[in-house]
Amino acid sequence: MRTPLTVAIAAALVTGCGAASSPAAPRSTEYLKDGTFVYALPDDPGILDPYRNIMPIGEMGTLTYDSLVNITPEGKIVSGLAETWESDATTSAFTLKQGITCSDGSPLTASTVARAFTFLKDPKNQSVLYGLLVPTTPFTVKADDAKRTVTVTMKTPTALVLETLGRAPVVCDKGLDDPKLLATGSVGSGPYMLTELVRGDHYTFTRRPGYTWGPDGAGTDAPGMPAKIVVKIVPNPTTRANLLLSGQIHMGEVSTADRPRLVSRNLERYDIPAVLGELWFNQRDGRPGSDPLVRRALTAALDLDELVSVTTAGTGKRATSMIANSAQPCAADTVTGQLPATDPAQAAALLDQAGWAKGADGTRAKNGKKLHVDLHYSPAEGPGTVAATELVAKRWQAIGTGVKLTADDVSAASRVMFETGDFDIYWAGFAFGLPVHIAPWVAGPVPPKGQNIAGIDNPAYVELSAQAAAATGAAGCALWNQAEQALFKSADVVPIARAERAFFFHKSRAQTDGWLQQPIPTSIRMLK
């Protein structure tokens, strides 16, 4: 899924390391000058503050905000705000390009970057990027405006600083002075600036002239680069497909069921590997999922291969990790052999062992309280997700568990995950880019003090991930993978399906770094 359910959370936000397929060669080489590029999103992202809301970063954040470095579709780290850099597990030094300006015309200096990072690294500020793009390891930031340098020094060795902190969006001074401006505006140094906002309908961004500090030195003067970009909210995937075919939008994600129509018309596309389904068991006090026997029972009641077929319309495969992209640095199968096998009889036995006895009405109860779970999901993820959650409910009801299905739009999902915590199980697909991004979602404090949305308390994961965070190379990857396995052994999270998310183009083309839903802004080209 997207944002808090895909992300981006999600989550999080970094490289796909070559995850996306390259777009097909364009059928026209004639570029349209100063066009308006329209691309569709299923949901309104809500507040636009990139430090308070994960969703806009993965959907349109790079239109307005830059990072110190960027990652190409092939997974190579290239310049951004920084023209040069040196980085190891302890110290990372960045030299900014000359002449960088913010959307309000003010210069972006080394002190601006240091100020932004100083805000992000303080857990009291409760930024959604803390633990995702911002290491939780204590670090210091020093700026030298005369030399245009920013130096980050970690208290203890920390891996992947370029891929995390180096990719964090930098808010300009005006936005840091008055964060309220960030909710409905853009105060960054990106290639576009927000010029119109109509909640629930569209966002309009206008190209900034003189921009030359994009990925690997890309600017806004390339032939075919749109003068305006309109992000239109189109919840229905079939409607998005129809609008693409009619040329009313130029880019949009299309669900599995609607893809054949667009493929038959030979539209260009790029694909992004995605985890399309995970079950997150809420382990806060009083929730059924706080008991590992219940988590294992509900997992054993499911045929995960059956769920893969349903949620992906037969096009996906079993998820082998919480990270979809098999090209990321620590890629490994961390799932096989860790989860309970499909066995409804064993599922029933585990519930018996946990003290949930079947009543005359077929529903289990314990100490006078019936076993009932509230399973949340997002229908915006398409009919496959809806059908899959209905199947999950059917299988759990068969072993005596009452099930309520709750459909959340993106605002409700954010509220439930990050404010109320009022769910028993969430069907979600977070788009984690690196193992380090998983940590704050499965360990530490629950919202609002942290991002551990399910209140997971797995000592083995905590110990192994702490060791991994201080290690580098193959040794670090091995520890991260063992930590992830610990989550599955305890059925804290149950990965289900992985498949390709397809983004189609009409008379246009673009590239993605493989993690973000949005295209790389300076790669967008409109064609006649």
Side-chain angles (χ1 to χ4, degrees):
M1 293 179 62
R2 292 173 11 275
T3 62
L5 307 178
T6 35
V7 8
I9 282 55
L13 298 142
V14 297
T15 172
C17 296
S21 62
S22 298
R27 279 157 287 285
S28 169
T29 55
E30 291 189 65
Y31 293 116
L32 179 67
K33 184 178 180 180
D34 294 338
T36 296
F37 179 80
V38 183
Y39 76 88
L41 291 180
D43 297 294
D44 192 305
I47 66 169
L48 302 181
D49 185 343
Y51 294 170
R52 299 294 184 189
N53 187 4
I54 199 73
M55 295 167 8
I57 305 172
E59 296 178 329
M60 53 192 182
T62 57
L63 294 173
T64 54
Y65 296 99
D66 289 313
S67 53
L68 288 172
V69 297
N70 293 287
I71 295 184
T72 67
E74 297 74 33
K76 179 183 176 182
I77 295 177
V78 296
S79 67
L81 295 173
E83 61 182 1
T84 61
W85 57 91
E86 294 181 0
S87 181
D88 58 31
T90 303
T91 304
S92 299
F94 304 88
T95 301
L96 303 184
K97 296 177 181 177
Q98 289 185 329
I100 300 173
T101 61
C102 298
S103 57
D104 64 347
S106 64
L108 185 143
T109 65
S111 293
T112 305
V113 177
R115 185 182 175 194
F117 286 179
T118 298
F119 175 88
L120 289 170
K121 76 186 185 76
D122 187 347
K124 294 180 180 178
N125 291 324
Q126 300 180 10
S127 171
V128 295
L129 299 185
Y130 185 72
L132 295 175
L133 290 182
V134 181
T136 56
T137 303
F139 62 89
T140 59
V141 190
K142 292 185 178 180
D144 187 325
D145 288 336
K147 295 181 179 179
R148 309 192 313 279
T149 57
V150 179
T151 304
V152 177
T153 303
M154 312 303 299
K155 185 175 182 180
T156 57
T158 304
L160 304 172
V161 173
L162 283 180
E163 293 86 346
T164 53
L165 192 61
R167 298 294 311 280
V170 176
V171 170
C172 291
D173 287 312
K174 186 177 180 180
L176 295 171
D177 290 337
D178 186 2
K180 293 180 181 179
L181 296 174
L182 304 176
T184 57
S186 61
V187 190
S189 61
Y192 289 83
M193 61 183 296
L194 181 66
T195 52
E196 184 183 35
L197 180 158
V198 180
R199 291 289 191 199
D201 188 78
H202 72 275
Y203 296 76
T204 300
F205 299 84
T206 300
R207 186 178 64 202
R208 294 182 60 206
Y211 178 93
T212 60
W213 47 90
D216 209 14
T220 53
D221 58 352
M225 191 166 179
K228 290 187 177 182
I229 294 178
V230 176
V231 180
K232 189 168 181 62
I233 311 305
V234 184
N236 187 284
T238 298
T239 301
R240 292 197 295 272
N242 293 338
L243 293 175
L244 277 163
L245 290 171
S246 65
Q248 295 179 68
I249 64 174
H250 300 95
M251 174 188 166
E253 182 183 6
V254 175
S255 67
T256 302
D258 291 292
R259 288 178 195 174
R261 291 191 292 142
L262 279 73
V263 171
S264 69
R265 294 281 292 271
N266 202 30
L267 267 67
E268 297 180 46
R269 64 188 263 197
Y270 62 58
D271 297 327
I272 299 178
V275 175
L276 297 185
E278 296 165 338
L279 291 173
W280 289 70
F281 290 92
N282 193 343
Q283 298 179 30
R284 291 175 175 86
D285 289 344
R287 299 284 177 176
S290 63
D291 186 340
L293 291 175
V294 172
R295 299 196 300 270
R296 294 184 65 81
L298 294 181
T299 304
L302 302 175
D303 183 335
L304 300 186
D305 290 321
E306 178 184 48
L307 289 175
V308 170
S309 179
V310 172
T311 194
T312 69
T315 64
K317 297 180 180 179
R318 282 281 299 275
T320 56
S321 171
M322 292 175 72
I323 297 172
N325 175 24
S326 60
Q328 63 88 14
C330 296
D333 181 351
T334 57
V335 174
T336 300
Q338 309 304 319
L339 294 170
T342 302
D343 188 341
Q346 177 63 17
L350 287 169
L351 290 179
D352 287 337
Q353 184 181 344
W356 294 97
K358 232 177 188 181
D361 63 354
T363 302
R364 294 177 178 271
K366 179 180 180 181
N367 298 327
K369 180 181 179 180
K370 290 191 174 182
L371 179 57
H372 189 278
V373 296
D374 186 6
L375 174 60
H376 286 240
Y377 68 98
S378 171
E381 292 310 305
T385 291
V386 176
T389 51
E390 290 174 347
L391 180 58
V392 168
K394 182 179 179 181
R395 297 290 181 254
W396 286 347
Q397 289 164 350
I399 60 169
T401 303
V403 183
K404 175 186 176 183
L405 288 174
T406 300
D408 291 334
D409 61 19
V410 69
S411 296
S414 182
R415 183 170 60 254
V416 168
M417 288 185 181
F418 300 105
E419 296 178 23
T420 68
D422 189 13
F423 69 96
D424 290 318
I425 304 162
Y426 222 115
W427 173 290
F430 289 94
F432 296 112
L434 294 168
V436 66
H437 299 143
I438 299 172
W441 297 82
V442 297
V446 300
K449 294 183 178 181
Q451 293 166 230
N452 184 358
I453 60 169
I456 294 172
D457 182 13
N458 188 316
Y461 179 88
V462 171
E463 180 179 353
L464 288 164
S465 61
Q467 295 174 23
T472 58
C477 285
L479 289 165
W480 279 120
N481 291 333
Q482 291 172 36
E484 196 173 333
Q485 287 178 322
L487 296 173
F488 308 144
K489 288 178 182 177
S490 186
D492 295 319
V493 183
V494 178
I496 297 171
R498 62 185 176 92
E500 303 290 335
R501 299 175 61 210
F503 293 80
F504 285 83
F505 294 86
H506 179 97
K507 289 190 175 181
S508 61
R509 59 187 173 95
Q511 291 180 304
T512 179
D513 68 5
W515 188 91
L516 297 175
Q517 170 175 312
Q518 64 183 336
I520 298 171
T522 52
S523 76
I524 300 172
R525 299 292 182 267
M526 300 195 70
L527 310 171
K528 290 184 178 179

